[in-house]
Each structure stands twice: as structure tokens, then as C-alpha cells.
Amino acid sequence: MKTLRLLAVGDNCVDQYVELGRRFPGGNALNMAVYASRVPGVQADYVGVVGTDENGRFVLDQIRAQGLDTSSVLRWDGETTVTTILIRDGERVFANYQEGVQKDASLPWEALPDLGRYDLIHFSVWGVGREHIPRIRETSAALLSCDFSNQVDDPRTSIMPYLDYSFFSGKHLTEEGVDPEDKLRELKERTPGVVAMTLGEYGSLVCDDDEIYRGRAIPVEIVDTLGAGDSWIAAFLCGQLMGEGVERSMERGHRAAAETCRRLGAWGGEA
């Protein structure tokens, strides 16, 4: 069986649970690489930037502990990105976000590994690397994906025409009285690729061509929802790379998200 190769480019951070006095590594792109690397038959790499502070060392040590290579993680003078997290009834609340060295940063093209080795390259609306998507589209046969988080109307969605997969978090739409299916169809008009939207306990939606698929969340006793959406995306994309249909890939995503919700932090962390 061929080993599938996935590259995640972009954000990382330290998720600081101030009320608990604990910290965990995180960030969509880094989470993607870690979660994908756990899927049998998939090898994942990560490209990003950390600071020269102790938090940067912590993130690098945590990546290595997961068995991932850190040779493409750059260390720039300054502070590593920190997200301050509060937990309210199992839901994570972002209290503060300090971008550190990732603020307004641009990733040198030379920092990217040989892109010809990868079947899929994933980006995030946060962090570095998105600026290279048009060039990668022209020079690489890899599938391209990006997670836009809840930024459904952000100017950075202008890269969607280059993408094979665009991901959004849309639980807030449901809570604001907006029909997520209507928004999904609107987003699909911006790209020829697949558009997916996670909705927390409300499940998920995927629009492929003109068809909308609906996924059901798996009931679980929630400890922490941090990383659930990222694990859904990683599992869904791995399923797609393996040739699964959309519905089966969505089911894979919901199983992964449910498992993530059972623990504190996205992954890793100090004992």
C-alpha cells in the first residue's frame, strides 16, 4: 500500500489554560500534521515558525514527542504565539491571542520542502504560508486545502479558487440564526473545489459539486472541544486521500472529533 504524504503549513501556538496552570501545543496547521500522522498509511510533515523563547522550545519538544520532524520549523527571534484558553461547560473560550513572531510574517519560499513529495498540502487562515498558494497551484500536482476557521467573510478567502478543499467552522451561524446551508452554497460559488463546514454538536456539511452532504456529530461526554474541528478536517482529508466517498470521510471526521473531545487540550501537553 502506498504511503500517503501530507504537508501542513502555517500556524502553531501554545494553548495556555491559565485557570488550570497547564499548557498544550496547538494551532490548526500543526494539529493537522499531528492528527494526520496518527492515521495508518499517512505520513505528515509540518512547516511553521516558533520563537526563541521557552514556549518555542516547548512546541518543538512536543512535535518531536509525536514522532514528527522539526527540520522545517523555523525559529525566529521573539515570542512564540500564545492563546489564552478558558473552559466553560466543556467549551473552550479564547480569552487572548498574542501572535508573537507570526504577526504579519511571510514564509520564505526556500523554507518549503520538496513539494513534489506530497499528495496534499494544507494551510490555515492563521500563520504563514498562504501567500505561496497561487505559485504552488502552478508548480505542484498536490491537492490544496485551507482551514478558514469561522472567517466566512474574510478577504483571505480570496484564495479559494486555487483550493481543492476549503474548510469553515459554522456553529456560530446556527446560533446567530443564519442557515449554514445557505452560507455553504454561497461559499461554494467562490471555488470549484469541495467546501466543508463543521457545526460542533450540530454535525457538519459538505458541498461537493451541487450536492450537500450532512454529517451527524457523535454524542460524547465532553472534556474540552479544543482541536475537535482540526481532528475532523484531518480525518476527512485522510479519508479523501484514501479514495473514500464524502459521506464515509465525514463519518471518519466525526469519530476523530469525538475522540478529541474526551481529553483536555488538542494533544500532547505537560504531565
Coordinates of all heavy atoms in Angstrom, one line a residue, residues 30 33-34 37-38 42-46 59-71 267:
L30 N -0.5 22.9 12.7 CA 0.3 21.9 13.5 C -0.6 20.7 13.9 O -0.2 19.6 13.9 CB 0.9 22.5 14.7 CG 1.7 21.6 15.6 CD1 2.8 20.8 14.9 CD2 2.4 22.4 16.8
A33 N -1.1 18.2 11.1 CA 0.0 17.3 10.9 C 0.1 16.2 11.9 O 0.3 15.0 11.6 CB 1.4 18.1 10.9
V34 N -0.2 16.6 13.2 CA -0.2 15.6 14.3 C -1.3 14.6 14.1 O -1.1 13.4 14.2 CB -0.2 16.3 15.6 CG1 -0.4 15.2 16.8 CG2 1.0 17.1 15.9
S37 N -0.8 12.3 11.1 CA 0.3 11.3 11.3 C -0.1 10.1 12.1 O 0.5 9.0 12.0 CB 1.5 12.0 12.0 OG 1.2 12.2 13.4
R38 N -1.3 10.1 12.7 CA -1.8 9.0 13.5 C -2.6 8.1 12.7 O -3.0 7.0 13.1 CB -2.6 9.5 14.7 CG -1.8 10.4 15.7 CD -2.7 11.0 16.7 NE -2.0 11.7 17.8 CZ -2.5 12.4 18.7 NH1 -3.9 12.4 18.9 NH2 -1.8 13.0 19.6
V42 N -0.5 7.1 6.5 CA -0.3 8.5 6.2 C 1.0 9.0 6.9 O 1.2 8.8 8.1 CB -1.5 9.4 6.6 CG1 -1.2 10.9 6.4 CG2 -2.8 9.0 5.9
Q43 N 1.8 9.7 6.2 CA 3.0 10.4 6.8 C 2.8 11.9 6.6 O 2.4 12.4 5.6 CB 4.3 10.0 6.1 CG 5.5 10.7 6.6 CD 6.8 10.2 6.0 OE1 6.8 9.1 5.5 NE2 7.8 11.0 6.0
A44 N 3.0 12.6 7.7 CA 2.7 14.0 7.7 C 3.9 14.8 8.2 O 4.7 14.4 9.0 CB 1.5 14.4 8.7
D45 N 4.1 16.0 7.6 CA 5.2 16.9 8.0 C 4.6 18.3 8.2 O 3.4 18.6 7.8 CB 6.2 17.0 6.8 CG 6.9 15.7 6.6 OD1 7.4 15.1 7.5 OD2 7.1 15.4 5.4
Y46 N 5.3 19.1 8.9 CA 4.8 20.4 9.3 C 5.9 21.5 9.0 O 7.1 21.3 9.3 CB 4.5 20.5 10.8 CG 4.2 21.8 11.3 CD1 3.0 22.5 10.9 CD2 5.0 22.5 12.2 CE1 2.7 23.8 11.3 CE2 4.8 23.8 12.6 CZ 3.6 24.4 12.2 OH 3.4 25.7 12.7
V59 N 7.1 23.8 22.2 CA 6.4 23.4 21.0 C 7.3 22.4 20.2 O 6.8 21.3 19.8 CB 6.0 24.6 20.1 CG1 5.5 24.1 18.8 CG2 5.0 25.4 20.8
L60 N 8.6 22.7 20.0 CA 9.4 21.8 19.3 C 9.6 20.4 20.0 O 9.5 19.4 19.3 CB 10.8 22.4 19.1 CG 10.9 23.6 18.2 CD1 12.3 24.3 18.3 CD2 10.7 23.2 16.7
D61 N 9.7 20.4 21.3 CA 9.8 19.2 22.0 C 8.5 18.4 21.9 O 8.6 17.1 21.8 CB 10.1 19.5 23.5 CG 11.5 19.9 23.8 OD1 12.4 19.8 22.9 OD2 11.8 20.4 24.9
Q62 N 7.4 19.0 21.9 CA 6.1 18.3 21.8 C 5.9 17.7 20.4 O 5.4 16.6 20.2 CB 5.0 19.3 22.1 CG 4.9 19.7 23.5 CD 4.4 18.7 24.4 OE1 3.3 18.2 24.3 NE2 5.1 18.2 25.4
I63 N 6.4 18.5 19.4 CA 6.3 17.9 18.0 C 7.2 16.7 17.9 O 6.8 15.7 17.3 CB 6.8 19.0 17.0 CG1 5.8 20.2 17.0 CG2 6.9 18.4 15.6 CD1 6.3 21.3 16.1
R64 N 8.4 16.7 18.4 CA 9.3 15.6 18.3 C 8.7 14.4 19.1 O 8.9 13.2 18.7 CB 10.7 16.0 18.9 CG 11.4 17.0 18.1 CD 12.8 17.2 18.6 NE 13.5 18.4 18.0 CZ 13.7 19.5 18.6 NH1 13.2 19.7 19.9 NH2 14.2 20.5 18.0
A65 N 8.1 14.7 20.2 CA 7.5 13.6 21.0 C 6.4 12.8 20.2 O 6.1 11.7 20.5 CB 6.9 14.1 22.3
Q66 N 5.8 13.5 19.2 CA 4.8 12.9 18.4 C 5.4 12.1 17.2 O 4.7 11.5 16.4 CB 3.8 13.9 17.9 CG 3.0 14.6 18.9 CD 2.0 13.6 19.6 OE1 1.3 12.8 19.0 NE2 2.0 13.7 21.0
G67 N 6.7 12.2 17.1 CA 7.4 11.5 16.0 C 7.5 12.2 14.7 O 7.9 11.7 13.7
L68 N 7.2 13.5 14.8 CA 7.3 14.4 13.6 C 8.7 15.1 13.5 O 9.3 15.4 14.5 CB 6.2 15.4 13.6 CG 4.9 15.0 12.9 CD1 4.2 13.9 13.8 CD2 4.0 16.2 12.8
D69 N 9.1 15.3 12.3 CA 10.4 16.0 12.0 C 10.2 17.5 12.3 O 9.2 18.1 11.9 CB 10.8 15.7 10.6 CG 12.1 16.4 10.2 OD1 12.9 16.6 11.1 OD2 12.3 16.7 9.0
T70 N 11.2 18.1 12.9 CA 11.1 19.6 13.1 C 12.1 20.4 12.3 O 12.3 21.6 12.5 CB 11.4 19.9 14.6 OG1 12.7 19.4 15.0 CG2 10.3 19.2 15.5
S71 N 12.7 19.7 11.3 CA 13.7 20.4 10.5 C 13.2 21.6 9.7 O 13.9 22.5 9.2 CB 14.4 19.4 9.6 OG 13.5 18.8 8.7
W267 N -3.7 18.0 22.0 CA -2.9 16.8 22.0 C -1.7 17.2 22.9 O -1.4 18.3 23.2 CB -2.4 16.4 20.6 CG -1.7 17.5 19.8 CD1 -2.4 18.4 19.0 CD2 -0.3 17.7 19.7 NE1 -1.4 19.3 18.5 CE2 -0.2 18.9 18.9 CE3 0.8 17.2 20.3 CZ2 1.1 19.4 18.6 CZ3 2.1 17.7 20.0 CH2 2.2 18.8 19.1

